[in-house]
PDB file of all heavy atoms in Angstrom:
ATOM      1  N   ALA A  95      -0.131  18.801   0.922  1.00 97.00           N
ATOM      2  CA  ALA A  95       1.005  18.651  -0.017  1.00 97.00           C
ATOM      3  C   ALA A  95       0.469  18.508  -1.445  1.00 97.00           C
ATOM      4  O   ALA A  95       1.052  19.137  -2.393  1.00 97.00           O
ATOM      5  CB  ALA A  95       1.859  17.478   0.336  1.00 97.00           C
ATOM      6  N   PHE A  96      -0.510  17.715  -1.661  1.00 97.00           N
ATOM      7  CA  PHE A  96      -1.040  17.471  -3.053  1.00 97.00           C
ATOM      8  C   PHE A  96      -1.682  18.811  -3.581  1.00 97.00           C
ATOM      9  O   PHE A  96      -1.478  19.112  -4.736  1.00 97.00           O
ATOM     10  CB  PHE A  96      -2.000  16.286  -3.028  1.00 97.00           C
ATOM     11  CG  PHE A  96      -1.354  14.995  -2.679  1.00 97.00           C
ATOM     12  CD1 PHE A  96      -2.037  14.077  -1.810  1.00 97.00           C
ATOM     13  CD2 PHE A  96      -0.076  14.615  -3.148  1.00 97.00           C
ATOM     14  CE1 PHE A  96      -1.479  12.873  -1.491  1.00 97.00           C
ATOM     15  CE2 PHE A  96       0.422  13.416  -2.838  1.00 97.00           C
ATOM     16  CZ  PHE A  96      -0.204  12.572  -1.955  1.00 97.00           C
ATOM     17  N   ARG A  97      -2.430  19.456  -2.661  1.00 97.00           N
ATOM     18  CA  ARG A  97      -3.093  20.595  -3.086  1.00 97.00           C
ATOM     19  C   ARG A  97      -2.168  21.755  -3.440  1.00 97.00           C
ATOM     20  O   ARG A  97      -2.275  22.446  -4.459  1.00 97.00           O
ATOM     21  CB  ARG A  97      -4.102  21.138  -2.048  1.00 97.00           C
ATOM     22  CG  ARG A  97      -4.944  22.293  -2.461  1.00 97.00           C
ATOM     23  CD  ARG A  97      -5.878  22.817  -1.353  1.00 97.00           C
ATOM     24  NE  ARG A  97      -7.116  21.991  -1.213  1.00 97.00           N
ATOM     25  CZ  ARG A  97      -7.435  21.296  -0.182  1.00 97.00           C
ATOM     26  NH1 ARG A  97      -6.588  21.257   0.905  1.00 97.00           N
ATOM     27  NH2 ARG A  97      -8.559  20.592  -0.066  1.00 97.00           N
ATOM     28  N   ASN A  98      -1.109  21.881  -2.670  1.00 96.00           N
ATOM     29  CA  ASN A  98      -0.148  22.964  -2.907  1.00 96.00           C
ATOM     30  C   ASN A  98       0.875  22.618  -4.005  1.00 96.00           C
ATOM     31  O   ASN A  98       1.371  23.546  -4.629  1.00 96.00           O
ATOM     32  CB  ASN A  98       0.638  23.207  -1.632  1.00 96.00           C
ATOM     33  CG  ASN A  98      -0.290  23.864  -0.529  1.00 96.00           C
ATOM     34  OD1 ASN A  98      -1.392  24.267  -0.780  1.00 96.00           O
ATOM     35  ND2 ASN A  98       0.154  23.729   0.755  1.00 96.00           N
ATOM     36  N   GLY A  99       0.997  21.332  -4.313  1.00 94.00           N
ATOM     37  CA  GLY A  99       2.025  20.934  -5.313  1.00 94.00           C
ATOM     38  C   GLY A  99       1.609  21.221  -6.719  1.00 94.00           C
ATOM     39  O   GLY A  99       2.418  21.499  -7.600  1.00 94.00           O
ATOM     40  N   GLY A 100       0.249  21.191  -6.924  1.00 94.00           N
ATOM     41  CA  GLY A 100      -0.202  21.579  -8.297  1.00 94.00           C
ATOM     42  C   GLY A 100      -0.134  20.439  -9.327  1.00 94.00           C
ATOM     43  O   GLY A 100      -0.564  20.589 -10.438  1.00 94.00           O
ATOM     44  N   MET A 101       0.418  19.285  -8.882  1.00 96.00           N
ATOM     45  CA  MET A 101       0.522  18.164  -9.874  1.00 96.00           C
ATOM     46  C   MET A 101      -0.695  17.353  -9.897  1.00 96.00           C
ATOM     47  O   MET A 101      -0.918  16.500 -10.800  1.00 96.00           O
ATOM     48  CB  MET A 101       1.727  17.244  -9.536  1.00 96.00           C
ATOM     49  CG  MET A 101       3.018  17.920  -9.345  1.00 96.00           C
ATOM     50  SD  MET A 101       3.547  18.751 -10.799  1.00 96.00           S
ATOM     51  CE  MET A 101       3.902  20.355 -10.141  1.00 96.00           C
ATOM     52  N   VAL A 102      -1.545  17.459  -8.878  1.00 98.00           N
ATOM     53  CA  VAL A 102      -2.673  16.532  -8.594  1.00 98.00           C
ATOM     54  C   VAL A 102      -4.029  17.309  -8.726  1.00 98.00           C
ATOM     55  O   VAL A 102      -4.167  18.344  -8.076  1.00 98.00           O
ATOM     56  CB  VAL A 102      -2.504  15.988  -7.133  1.00 98.00           C
ATOM     57  CG1 VAL A 102      -3.700  15.138  -6.786  1.00 98.00           C
ATOM     58  CG2 VAL A 102      -1.219  15.108  -7.126  1.00 98.00           C
ATOM     59  N   CYS A 103      -4.951  16.720  -9.456  1.00 98.00           N
ATOM     60  CA  CYS A 103      -6.250  17.400  -9.593  1.00 98.00           C
ATOM     61  C   CYS A 103      -7.255  16.888  -8.584  1.00 98.00           C
ATOM     62  O   CYS A 103      -8.282  17.469  -8.362  1.00 98.00           O
ATOM     63  CB  CYS A 103      -6.788  17.249 -11.030  1.00 98.00           C
ATOM     64  SG  CYS A 103      -7.096  15.591 -11.512  1.00 98.00           S
ATOM     65  N   GLY A 104      -6.909  15.777  -7.937  1.00 98.00           N
ATOM     66  CA  GLY A 104      -7.819  15.265  -6.909  1.00 98.00           C
ATOM     67  C   GLY A 104      -7.259  14.068  -6.171  1.00 98.00           C
ATOM     68  O   GLY A 104      -6.288  13.510  -6.572  1.00 98.00           O
ATOM     69  N   ILE A 105      -7.855  13.765  -5.029  1.00 98.00           N
ATOM     70  CA  ILE A 105      -7.375  12.642  -4.211  1.00 98.00           C
ATOM     71  C   ILE A 105      -8.551  11.779  -3.719  1.00 98.00           C
ATOM     72  O   ILE A 105      -9.670  12.232  -3.622  1.00 98.00           O
ATOM     73  CB  ILE A 105      -6.531  13.146  -2.970  1.00 98.00           C
ATOM     74  CG1 ILE A 105      -7.398  14.044  -2.037  1.00 98.00           C
ATOM     75  CG2 ILE A 105      -5.304  13.819  -3.369  1.00 98.00           C
ATOM     76  CD1 ILE A 105      -7.999  13.269  -0.889  1.00 98.00           C
ATOM     77  N   GLY A 106      -8.216  10.537  -3.409  1.00 98.00           N
ATOM     78  CA  GLY A 106      -9.129   9.571  -2.718  1.00 98.00           C
ATOM     79  C   GLY A 106      -8.366   9.074  -1.521  1.00 98.00           C
ATOM     80  O   GLY A 106      -7.212   8.662  -1.654  1.00 98.00           O
ATOM     81  N   SER A 107      -8.959   9.148  -0.342  1.00 98.00           N
ATOM     82  CA  SER A 107      -8.252   8.753   0.852  1.00 98.00           C
ATOM     83  C   SER A 107      -9.114   7.879   1.750  1.00 98.00           C
ATOM     84  O   SER A 107     -10.390   8.067   1.770  1.00 98.00           O
ATOM     85  CB  SER A 107      -7.823  10.000   1.645  1.00 98.00           C
ATOM     86  OG  SER A 107      -7.716   9.693   3.017  1.00 98.00           O
ATOM     87  N   GLU A 108      -8.503   6.971   2.520  1.00 96.00           N
ATOM     88  CA  GLU A 108      -9.346   6.141   3.367  1.00 96.00           C
ATOM     89  C   GLU A 108     -10.117   6.990   4.381  1.00 96.00           C
ATOM     90  O   GLU A 108     -11.152   6.613   4.848  1.00 96.00           O
ATOM     91  CB  GLU A 108      -8.387   5.226   4.210  1.00 96.00           C
ATOM     92  CG  GLU A 108      -9.251   4.228   5.083  1.00 96.00           C
ATOM     93  CD  GLU A 108      -8.440   3.572   6.148  1.00 96.00           C
ATOM     94  OE1 GLU A 108      -7.585   4.194   6.790  1.00 96.00           O
ATOM     95  OE2 GLU A 108      -8.611   2.389   6.374  1.00 96.00           O
ATOM     96  N   GLU A 109      -9.589   8.168   4.692  1.00 93.00           N
ATOM     97  CA  GLU A 109     -10.204   8.995   5.755  1.00 93.00           C
ATOM     98  C   GLU A 109     -11.281   9.899   5.247  1.00 93.00           C
ATOM     99  O   GLU A 109     -11.864  10.670   5.980  1.00 93.00           O
ATOM    100  CB  GLU A 109      -9.087   9.812   6.422  1.00 93.00           C
ATOM    101  CG  GLU A 109      -8.012   8.990   7.095  1.00 93.00           C
ATOM    102  CD  GLU A 109      -8.537   7.987   8.097  1.00 93.00           C
ATOM    103  OE1 GLU A 109      -9.570   8.240   8.744  1.00 93.00           O
ATOM    104  OE2 GLU A 109      -7.951   6.952   8.257  1.00 93.00           O
ATOM    105  N   ASN A 110     -11.524   9.870   3.934  1.00 96.00           N
ATOM    106  CA  ASN A 110     -12.575  10.787   3.353  1.00 96.00           C
ATOM    107  C   ASN A 110     -13.619   9.971   2.604  1.00 96.00           C
ATOM    108  O   ASN A 110     -13.293   9.242   1.699  1.00 96.00           O
ATOM    109  CB  ASN A 110     -11.910  11.787   2.423  1.00 96.00           C
ATOM    110  CG  ASN A 110     -10.949  12.714   3.173  1.00 96.00           C
ATOM    111  OD1 ASN A 110     -11.309  13.782   3.642  1.00 96.00           O
ATOM    112  ND2 ASN A 110      -9.699  12.264   3.351  1.00 96.00           N
ATOM    113  N   ASP A 111     -14.858  10.189   2.977  1.00 96.00           N
ATOM    114  CA  ASP A 111     -15.986   9.438   2.416  1.00 96.00           C
ATOM    115  C   ASP A 111     -15.969   9.471   0.867  1.00 96.00           C
ATOM    116  O   ASP A 111     -16.116   8.434   0.165  1.00 96.00           O
ATOM    117  CB  ASP A 111     -17.286  10.055   2.869  1.00 96.00           C
ATOM    118  CG  ASP A 111     -18.505   9.249   2.487  1.00 96.00           C
ATOM    119  OD1 ASP A 111     -18.289   8.175   1.896  1.00 96.00           O
ATOM    120  OD2 ASP A 111     -19.651   9.699   2.622  1.00 96.00           O
ATOM    121  N   LYS A 112     -15.843  10.719   0.294  1.00 97.00           N
ATOM    122  CA  LYS A 112     -15.838  10.841  -1.173  1.00 97.00           C
ATOM    123  C   LYS A 112     -14.482  11.268  -1.673  1.00 97.00           C
ATOM    124  O   LYS A 112     -13.654  11.788  -0.840  1.00 97.00           O
ATOM    125  CB  LYS A 112     -16.861  11.945  -1.499  1.00 97.00           C
ATOM    126  CG  LYS A 112     -18.324  11.710  -1.002  1.00 97.00           C
ATOM    127  CD  LYS A 112     -19.288  11.632  -2.178  1.00 97.00           C
ATOM    128  CE  LYS A 112     -20.703  11.442  -1.726  1.00 97.00           C
ATOM    129  NZ  LYS A 112     -20.908  10.198  -0.860  1.00 97.00           N
ATOM    130  N   TYR A 113     -14.265  11.156  -2.939  1.00 98.00           N
ATOM    131  CA  TYR A 113     -12.965  11.716  -3.519  1.00 98.00           C
ATOM    132  C   TYR A 113     -13.042  13.236  -3.382  1.00 98.00           C
ATOM    133  O   TYR A 113     -14.131  13.864  -3.312  1.00 98.00           O
ATOM    134  CB  TYR A 113     -12.795  11.324  -4.954  1.00 98.00           C
ATOM    135  CG  TYR A 113     -13.752  11.892  -5.924  1.00 98.00           C
ATOM    136  CD1 TYR A 113     -13.465  13.071  -6.601  1.00 98.00           C
ATOM    137  CD2 TYR A 113     -14.920  11.214  -6.266  1.00 98.00           C
ATOM    138  CE1 TYR A 113     -14.337  13.660  -7.524  1.00 98.00           C
ATOM    139  CE2 TYR A 113     -15.837  11.763  -7.213  1.00 98.00           C
ATOM    140  CZ  TYR A 113     -15.527  12.963  -7.845  1.00 98.00           C
ATOM    141  OH  TYR A 113     -16.382  13.538  -8.737  1.00 98.00           O
ATOM    142  N   VAL A 114     -11.847  13.857  -3.322  1.00 98.00           N
ATOM    143  CA  VAL A 114     -11.771  15.310  -3.243  1.00 98.00           C
ATOM    144  C   VAL A 114     -11.226  15.880  -4.558  1.00 98.00           C
ATOM    145  O   VAL A 114     -10.134  15.554  -4.975  1.00 98.00           O
ATOM    146  CB  VAL A 114     -10.864  15.753  -2.074  1.00 98.00           C
ATOM    147  CG1 VAL A 114     -10.694  17.229  -1.983  1.00 98.00           C
ATOM    148  CG2 VAL A 114     -11.389  15.221  -0.755  1.00 98.00           C
ATOM    149  N   ALA A 115     -12.067  16.675  -5.274  1.00 98.00           N
ATOM    150  CA  ALA A 115     -11.565  17.268  -6.530  1.00 98.00           C
ATOM    151  C   ALA A 115     -11.117  18.674  -6.102  1.00 98.00           C
ATOM    152  O   ALA A 115     -11.872  19.488  -5.607  1.00 98.00           O
ATOM    153  CB  ALA A 115     -12.696  17.352  -7.486  1.00 98.00           C
ATOM    154  N   PHE A 116      -9.832  18.970  -6.287  1.00 98.00           N
ATOM    155  CA  PHE A 116      -9.339  20.281  -5.933  1.00 98.00           C
ATOM    156  C   PHE A 116      -9.942  21.358  -6.826  1.00 98.00           C
ATOM    157  O   PHE A 116     -10.004  21.166  -8.022  1.00 98.00           O
ATOM    158  CB  PHE A 116      -7.791  20.237  -6.001  1.00 98.00           C
ATOM    159  CG  PHE A 116      -7.131  19.394  -4.980  1.00 98.00           C
ATOM    160  CD1 PHE A 116      -5.927  18.729  -5.315  1.00 98.00           C
ATOM    161  CD2 PHE A 116      -7.643  19.171  -3.754  1.00 98.00           C
ATOM    162  CE1 PHE A 116      -5.293  17.824  -4.405  1.00 98.00           C
ATOM    163  CE2 PHE A 116      -7.016  18.263  -2.838  1.00 98.00           C
ATOM    164  CZ  PHE A 116      -5.857  17.682  -3.139  1.00 98.00           C
ATOM    165  N   GLU A 117     -10.208  22.450  -6.233  1.00 97.00           N
ATOM    166  CA  GLU A 117     -10.865  23.558  -6.961  1.00 97.00           C
ATOM    167  C   GLU A 117      -9.856  24.615  -7.502  1.00 97.00           C
ATOM    168  O   GLU A 117     -10.237  25.342  -8.396  1.00 97.00           O
ATOM    169  CB  GLU A 117     -11.936  24.285  -6.051  1.00 97.00           C
ATOM    170  CG  GLU A 117     -13.025  23.399  -5.584  1.00 97.00           C
ATOM    171  CD  GLU A 117     -13.928  22.792  -6.715  1.00 97.00           C
ATOM    172  OE1 GLU A 117     -13.819  23.365  -7.902  1.00 97.00           O
ATOM    173  OE2 GLU A 117     -14.640  21.828  -6.520  1.00 97.00           O
ATOM    174  N   LYS A 118      -8.662  24.652  -6.955  1.00 95.00           N
ATOM    175  CA  LYS A 118      -7.695  25.657  -7.340  1.00 95.00           C
ATOM    176  C   LYS A 118      -7.430  25.512  -8.869  1.00 95.00           C
ATOM    177  O   LYS A 118      -7.189  24.407  -9.313  1.00 95.00           O
ATOM    178  CB  LYS A 118      -6.354  25.482  -6.555  1.00 95.00           C
ATOM    179  CG  LYS A 118      -6.300  26.110  -5.230  1.00 95.00           C
ATOM    180  CD  LYS A 118      -5.089  25.635  -4.380  1.00 95.00           C
ATOM    181  CE  LYS A 118      -3.780  26.127  -4.945  1.00 95.00           C
ATOM    182  NZ  LYS A 118      -2.684  25.703  -4.043  1.00 95.00           N
ATOM    183  N   PRO A 119      -7.437  26.574  -9.654  1.00 96.00           N
ATOM    184  CA  PRO A 119      -7.169  26.475 -11.093  1.00 96.00           C
ATOM    185  C   PRO A 119      -5.876  25.789 -11.338  1.00 96.00           C
ATOM    186  O   PRO A 119      -5.785  24.960 -12.254  1.00 96.00           O
ATOM    187  CB  PRO A 119      -7.120  27.980 -11.530  1.00 96.00           C
ATOM    188  CG  PRO A 119      -7.960  28.680 -10.513  1.00 96.00           C
ATOM    189  CD  PRO A 119      -7.796  27.959  -9.199  1.00 96.00           C
ATOM    190  N   LEU A 120      -4.834  26.010 -10.502  1.00 95.00           N
ATOM    191  CA  LEU A 120      -3.539  25.334 -10.665  1.00 95.00           C
ATOM    192  C   LEU A 120      -3.705  23.825 -10.650  1.00 95.00           C
ATOM    193  O   LEU A 120      -3.134  23.082 -11.429  1.00 95.00           O
ATOM    194  CB  LEU A 120      -2.591  25.838  -9.564  1.00 95.00           C
ATOM    195  CG  LEU A 120      -1.235  25.081  -9.494  1.00 95.00           C
ATOM    196  CD1 LEU A 120      -0.335  25.343 -10.711  1.00 95.00           C
ATOM    197  CD2 LEU A 120      -0.488  25.447  -8.139  1.00 95.00           C
TER     198      LEU A 120
END
Side-chain angles (χ1 to χ4, degrees):
F96 295 137
R97 184 182 280 117
N98 294 343
M101 306 300 130
V102 173
C103 60
I105 61 98
S107 155
E108 184 196 42
E109 301 303 330
N110 296 268
D111 186 10
K112 304 239 183 301
Y113 68 88
V114 177
F116 294 146
E117 298 299 345
K118 277 167 68 175
L120 170 69

